[in-house]
Amino acid sequence: MSVKIIGVGKALPRKKILNSELPEELNTSDEWIRSHTGIGSRYICSENENSAVLGVKAAEAALANAKSNGFFVNSEQIDLIVCSTAVPVHWGFPSNACLIQQSLCADNAAGFDVSAACSGFIYGLQTGRALLNQMNWKYALVIGTEELSRIVNWKDRSSCILFGDGAGAVLLENSEENTEHFGSFVLGTDGKGAEVLYLGTDDILIHMDGHAVYNFAVKKMVEIIQTLMEKDNLSIDDIDLIICHQANERIIQAAAKRLNYPLEKFPILIEEYANTSSASIPISLTDLSENGILKHGMKILLAGFGAGLTWGGCSLTW
Ligand SMILES: CC(C)(COP(=O)(O)OP(=O)(O)OC[C@H]1O[C@@H](n2cnc3c(N)ncnc32)[C@H](O)[C@@H]1OP(=O)(O)O)[C@@H](O)C(=O)NCCC(=O)NCCS
């Protein structure tokens, strides 16, 4: 049995907010935000949009993309929906996966949400892959979908400028093929860092120690990449692209520099979307595949980190 990605898709809210359009009270500037983060704009949910709505659209786009790749999968064939989100429509239950299942008419799918903050897509990918194998299922949707604009503190200029809403999805197929598409996975947590990035229980807003998160992120990205390369016996020459969670372009640049690897192997897609948490990696996969940078047969690494603290990565052949 071999599991592979056969479709990718993304969805963004209708409303785009440029740095220059942020509220004046924030006392920030396009120059500061770009020079400290690489962010130029973000998409924000408005009426009739939320993380489940975006998740459905991203999933539909992944199914359509699979079709264009020659894989005709209808929603009734989907066995599993794994949805990573930090901002579900309902805190607690029902899960976003259930809302998405209903909208897609995926009548035969099991579904649940994953909570691992910005690392959630990688956790979901490994969970989806493992369950397809374990349950002898054929198709799984793994979705990262976020409405961070609902939980950012719009009075805190050091954090609110970082985040945006959006969704990305992949469709996994479990087939009889002998080729293994996924290599190793790395997953980890460190609850000692819980207080550097958390959602307040009373105010339901993001609280962040930016410096602590930055230092953790650079260190962890380096470790994830090195561990995956060691596990799968890869050198940098074997790897075409290293697709990182898009939190701040400076984090990615610093990790690349510390590893002494060419920055060209680290695509940066934060300018338009800002940090979309667990949606950032599947959105990046969609854009890179659509614009022809990510090609069939390429060896890639994925690496993410986030609140928890959590982290995760994997190697795969596209
Ligand atoms: C948040 C972050 C961008 C701050 O960048 P930084 O270079 O460390 O900036 P500092 O916090 O040192 O702030 C420098 C100055 O800019 C100011 N500043 C902060 N945000 C600002 C903003 N949006 N606009 C203008 N000025 C701002 C600060 O008040 C400070 O001013 P001071 O020197 O007068 O006190 C950076 O720490 C970061 O990206 N951390 C990681 C966050 C992250 O990725 N979180 C999500 C993880 S999934």
Side-chain angles (χ1 to χ4, degrees), residues 293-313:
I293 294 172
L294 177 54
K295 297 190 196 77
H296 184 67
M298 277 187 165
K299 175 65 85 185
I300 63 173
L301 303 184
L302 307 181
F305 59 88
L309 296 165
T310 56
W311 58 91

PDB file of all heavy atoms in Angstrom, residues 293-313:
ATOM      1  N   ILE A 293       6.382  25.633 -10.236  1.00  0.00           N
ATOM      2  CA  ILE A 293       7.666  25.535  -9.518  1.00  0.00           C
ATOM      3  C   ILE A 293       7.785  24.139  -8.886  1.00  0.00           C
ATOM      4  O   ILE A 293       8.841  23.514  -8.904  1.00  0.00           O
ATOM      5  CB  ILE A 293       7.768  26.648  -8.446  1.00  0.00           C
ATOM      6  CG1 ILE A 293       7.827  28.006  -9.143  1.00  0.00           C
ATOM      7  CG2 ILE A 293       8.990  26.443  -7.543  1.00  0.00           C
ATOM      8  CD1 ILE A 293       7.738  29.202  -8.214  1.00  0.00           C
ATOM      9  N   LEU A 294       6.680  23.665  -8.339  1.00  0.00           N
ATOM     10  CA  LEU A 294       6.644  22.328  -7.740  1.00  0.00           C
ATOM     11  C   LEU A 294       6.182  21.348  -8.823  1.00  0.00           C
ATOM     12  O   LEU A 294       5.048  21.428  -9.299  1.00  0.00           O
ATOM     13  CB  LEU A 294       5.668  22.339  -6.558  1.00  0.00           C
ATOM     14  CG  LEU A 294       5.420  21.042  -5.817  1.00  0.00           C
ATOM     15  CD1 LEU A 294       6.720  20.416  -5.339  1.00  0.00           C
ATOM     16  CD2 LEU A 294       4.497  21.286  -4.628  1.00  0.00           C
ATOM     17  N   LYS A 295       7.097  20.438  -9.186  1.00  0.00           N
ATOM     18  CA  LYS A 295       6.795  19.551 -10.315  1.00  0.00           C
ATOM     19  C   LYS A 295       6.788  18.091  -9.876  1.00  0.00           C
ATOM     20  O   LYS A 295       7.453  17.714  -8.902  1.00  0.00           O
ATOM     21  CB  LYS A 295       7.854  19.719 -11.412  1.00  0.00           C
ATOM     22  CG  LYS A 295       7.900  21.103 -12.020  1.00  0.00           C
ATOM     23  CD  LYS A 295       8.813  21.079 -13.251  1.00  0.00           C
ATOM     24  CE  LYS A 295       9.235  22.463 -13.689  1.00  0.00           C
ATOM     25  NZ  LYS A 295      10.277  23.091 -12.896  1.00  0.00           N
ATOM     26  N   HIS A 296       6.040  17.305 -10.638  1.00  0.00           N
ATOM     27  CA  HIS A 296       5.956  15.866 -10.421  1.00  0.00           C
ATOM     28  C   HIS A 296       7.362  15.261 -10.295  1.00  0.00           C
ATOM     29  O   HIS A 296       8.234  15.566 -11.100  1.00  0.00           O
ATOM     30  CB  HIS A 296       5.211  15.255 -11.618  1.00  0.00           C
ATOM     31  CG  HIS A 296       4.979  13.799 -11.486  1.00  0.00           C
ATOM     32  ND1 HIS A 296       4.141  13.256 -10.546  1.00  0.00           N
ATOM     33  CD2 HIS A 296       5.505  12.750 -12.177  1.00  0.00           C
ATOM     34  CE1 HIS A 296       4.141  11.950 -10.656  1.00  0.00           C
ATOM     35  NE2 HIS A 296       4.959  11.611 -11.632  1.00  0.00           N
ATOM     36  N   GLY A 297       7.555  14.427  -9.283  1.00  0.00           N
ATOM     37  CA  GLY A 297       8.844  13.744  -9.122  1.00  0.00           C
ATOM     38  C   GLY A 297       9.842  14.475  -8.250  1.00  0.00           C
ATOM     39  O   GLY A 297      10.886  13.928  -7.911  1.00  0.00           O
ATOM     40  N   MET A 298       9.529  15.723  -7.885  1.00  0.00           N
ATOM     41  CA  MET A 298      10.466  16.486  -7.041  1.00  0.00           C
ATOM     42  C   MET A 298      10.510  15.927  -5.627  1.00  0.00           C
ATOM     43  O   MET A 298       9.492  15.497  -5.087  1.00  0.00           O
ATOM     44  CB  MET A 298      10.047  17.956  -6.959  1.00  0.00           C
ATOM     45  CG  MET A 298      10.506  18.786  -8.120  1.00  0.00           C
ATOM     46  SD  MET A 298      10.103  20.521  -7.778  1.00  0.00           S
ATOM     47  CE  MET A 298      11.113  21.307  -9.026  1.00  0.00           C
ATOM     48  N   LYS A 299      11.686  15.985  -5.029  1.00  0.00           N
ATOM     49  CA  LYS A 299      11.849  15.592  -3.625  1.00  0.00           C
ATOM     50  C   LYS A 299      11.726  16.856  -2.777  1.00  0.00           C
ATOM     51  O   LYS A 299      12.451  17.833  -3.014  1.00  0.00           O
ATOM     52  CB  LYS A 299      13.229  14.945  -3.459  1.00  0.00           C
ATOM     53  CG  LYS A 299      13.606  14.588  -2.066  1.00  0.00           C
ATOM     54  CD  LYS A 299      12.755  13.529  -1.431  1.00  0.00           C
ATOM     55  CE  LYS A 299      13.169  12.104  -1.737  1.00  0.00           C
ATOM     56  NZ  LYS A 299      12.225  11.124  -1.176  1.00  0.00           N
ATOM     57  N   ILE A 300      10.773  16.875  -1.863  1.00  0.00           N
ATOM     58  CA  ILE A 300      10.567  18.079  -1.063  1.00  0.00           C
ATOM     59  C   ILE A 300      10.518  17.755   0.431  1.00  0.00           C
ATOM     60  O   ILE A 300      10.235  16.616   0.822  1.00  0.00           O
ATOM     61  CB  ILE A 300       9.273  18.852  -1.467  1.00  0.00           C
ATOM     62  CG1 ILE A 300       8.006  18.007  -1.217  1.00  0.00           C
ATOM     63  CG2 ILE A 300       9.325  19.273  -2.916  1.00  0.00           C
ATOM     64  CD1 ILE A 300       6.709  18.789  -1.440  1.00  0.00           C
ATOM     65  N   LEU A 301      10.803  18.764   1.230  1.00  0.00           N
ATOM     66  CA  LEU A 301      10.611  18.670   2.679  1.00  0.00           C
ATOM     67  C   LEU A 301       9.538  19.681   3.064  1.00  0.00           C
ATOM     68  O   LEU A 301       9.474  20.774   2.508  1.00  0.00           O
ATOM     69  CB  LEU A 301      11.895  19.013   3.444  1.00  0.00           C
ATOM     70  CG  LEU A 301      13.166  18.222   3.166  1.00  0.00           C
ATOM     71  CD1 LEU A 301      14.281  18.687   4.117  1.00  0.00           C
ATOM     72  CD2 LEU A 301      12.948  16.723   3.322  1.00  0.00           C
ATOM     73  N   LEU A 302       8.692  19.309   4.021  1.00  0.00           N
ATOM     74  CA  LEU A 302       7.747  20.245   4.633  1.00  0.00           C
ATOM     75  C   LEU A 302       8.171  20.423   6.084  1.00  0.00           C
ATOM     76  O   LEU A 302       8.587  19.446   6.732  1.00  0.00           O
ATOM     77  CB  LEU A 302       6.315  19.692   4.595  1.00  0.00           C
ATOM     78  CG  LEU A 302       5.760  19.235   3.239  1.00  0.00           C
ATOM     79  CD1 LEU A 302       4.320  18.738   3.397  1.00  0.00           C
ATOM     80  CD2 LEU A 302       5.821  20.360   2.208  1.00  0.00           C
ATOM     81  N   ALA A 303       8.074  21.646   6.595  1.00  0.00           N
ATOM     82  CA  ALA A 303       8.465  21.875   7.990  1.00  0.00           C
ATOM     83  C   ALA A 303       7.592  22.962   8.603  1.00  0.00           C
ATOM     84  O   ALA A 303       7.427  24.039   8.024  1.00  0.00           O
ATOM     85  CB  ALA A 303       9.940  22.291   8.061  1.00  0.00           C
ATOM     86  N   GLY A 304       7.027  22.662   9.773  1.00  0.00           N
ATOM     87  CA  GLY A 304       6.156  23.637  10.429  1.00  0.00           C
ATOM     88  C   GLY A 304       6.378  23.683  11.930  1.00  0.00           C
ATOM     89  O   GLY A 304       6.932  22.757  12.521  1.00  0.00           O
ATOM     90  N   PHE A 305       5.919  24.771  12.533  1.00  0.00           N
ATOM     91  CA  PHE A 305       6.051  24.949  13.986  1.00  0.00           C
ATOM     92  C   PHE A 305       4.891  25.830  14.435  1.00  0.00           C
ATOM     93  O   PHE A 305       4.291  26.540  13.622  1.00  0.00           O
ATOM     94  CB  PHE A 305       7.383  25.656  14.324  1.00  0.00           C
ATOM     95  CG  PHE A 305       7.477  27.002  13.662  1.00  0.00           C
ATOM     96  CD1 PHE A 305       6.982  28.141  14.282  1.00  0.00           C
ATOM     97  CD2 PHE A 305       8.003  27.124  12.393  1.00  0.00           C
ATOM     98  CE1 PHE A 305       7.022  29.378  13.650  1.00  0.00           C
ATOM     99  CE2 PHE A 305       8.041  28.356  11.752  1.00  0.00           C
ATOM    100  CZ  PHE A 305       7.555  29.481  12.375  1.00  0.00           C
ATOM    101  N   GLY A 306       4.617  25.796  15.718  1.00  0.00           N
ATOM    102  CA  GLY A 306       3.552  26.664  16.184  1.00  0.00           C
ATOM    103  C   GLY A 306       3.336  26.589  17.678  1.00  0.00           C
ATOM    104  O   GLY A 306       4.142  26.011  18.419  1.00  0.00           O
ATOM    105  N   ALA A 307       2.198  27.170  18.081  1.00  0.00           N
ATOM    106  CA  ALA A 307       1.871  27.230  19.497  1.00  0.00           C
ATOM    107  C   ALA A 307       1.781  25.823  20.061  1.00  0.00           C
ATOM    108  O   ALA A 307       1.520  24.857  19.359  1.00  0.00           O
ATOM    109  CB  ALA A 307       0.560  27.969  19.690  1.00  0.00           C
ATOM    110  N   GLY A 308       2.009  25.759  21.372  1.00  0.00           N
ATOM    111  CA  GLY A 308       1.968  24.452  22.039  1.00  0.00           C
ATOM    112  C   GLY A 308       3.005  24.298  23.132  1.00  0.00           C
ATOM    113  O   GLY A 308       2.685  24.153  24.275  1.00  0.00           O
ATOM    114  N   LEU A 309       4.257  24.380  22.744  1.00  0.00           N
ATOM    115  CA  LEU A 309       4.786  24.497  21.373  1.00  0.00           C
ATOM    116  C   LEU A 309       4.676  23.156  20.640  1.00  0.00           C
ATOM    117  O   LEU A 309       4.760  22.103  21.278  1.00  0.00           O
ATOM    118  CB  LEU A 309       6.254  24.960  21.414  1.00  0.00           C
ATOM    119  CG  LEU A 309       6.423  26.371  22.009  1.00  0.00           C
ATOM    120  CD1 LEU A 309       7.858  26.656  22.375  1.00  0.00           C
ATOM    121  CD2 LEU A 309       5.921  27.433  21.038  1.00  0.00           C
ATOM    122  N   THR A 310       4.511  23.244  19.334  1.00  0.00           N
ATOM    123  CA  THR A 310       4.435  22.038  18.507  1.00  0.00           C
ATOM    124  C   THR A 310       5.329  22.216  17.288  1.00  0.00           C
ATOM    125  O   THR A 310       5.648  23.343  16.902  1.00  0.00           O
ATOM    126  CB  THR A 310       3.001  21.825  17.989  1.00  0.00           C
ATOM    127  OG1 THR A 310       2.596  23.017  17.287  1.00  0.00           O
ATOM    128  CG2 THR A 310       2.024  21.527  19.098  1.00  0.00           C
ATOM    129  N   TRP A 311       5.706  21.109  16.683  1.00  0.00           N
ATOM    130  CA  TRP A 311       6.422  21.176  15.412  1.00  0.00           C
ATOM    131  C   TRP A 311       6.224  19.879  14.642  1.00  0.00           C
ATOM    132  O   TRP A 311       5.824  18.853  15.212  1.00  0.00           O
ATOM    133  CB  TRP A 311       7.913  21.469  15.613  1.00  0.00           C
ATOM    134  CG  TRP A 311       8.649  20.480  16.456  1.00  0.00           C
ATOM    135  CD1 TRP A 311       9.306  19.365  16.034  1.00  0.00           C
ATOM    136  CD2 TRP A 311       8.805  20.527  17.889  1.00  0.00           C
ATOM    137  NE1 TRP A 311       9.871  18.711  17.100  1.00  0.00           N
ATOM    138  CE2 TRP A 311       9.569  19.407  18.255  1.00  0.00           C
ATOM    139  CE3 TRP A 311       8.366  21.397  18.881  1.00  0.00           C
ATOM    140  CZ2 TRP A 311       9.909  19.128  19.579  1.00  0.00           C
ATOM    141  CZ3 TRP A 311       8.705  21.120  20.203  1.00  0.00           C
ATOM    142  CH2 TRP A 311       9.469  20.001  20.537  1.00  0.00           C
ATOM    143  N   GLY A 312       6.498  19.942  13.352  1.00  0.00           N
ATOM    144  CA  GLY A 312       6.355  18.741  12.537  1.00  0.00           C
ATOM    145  C   GLY A 312       6.952  18.947  11.166  1.00  0.00           C
ATOM    146  O   GLY A 312       7.078  20.082  10.695  1.00  0.00           O
ATOM    147  N   GLY A 313       7.341  17.843  10.546  1.00  0.00           N
ATOM    148  CA  GLY A 313       7.886  17.918   9.197  1.00  0.00           C
ATOM    149  C   GLY A 313       7.840  16.559   8.542  1.00  0.00           C
ATOM    150  O   GLY A 313       7.600  15.544   9.199  1.00  0.00           O
TER     151      GLY A 313
END
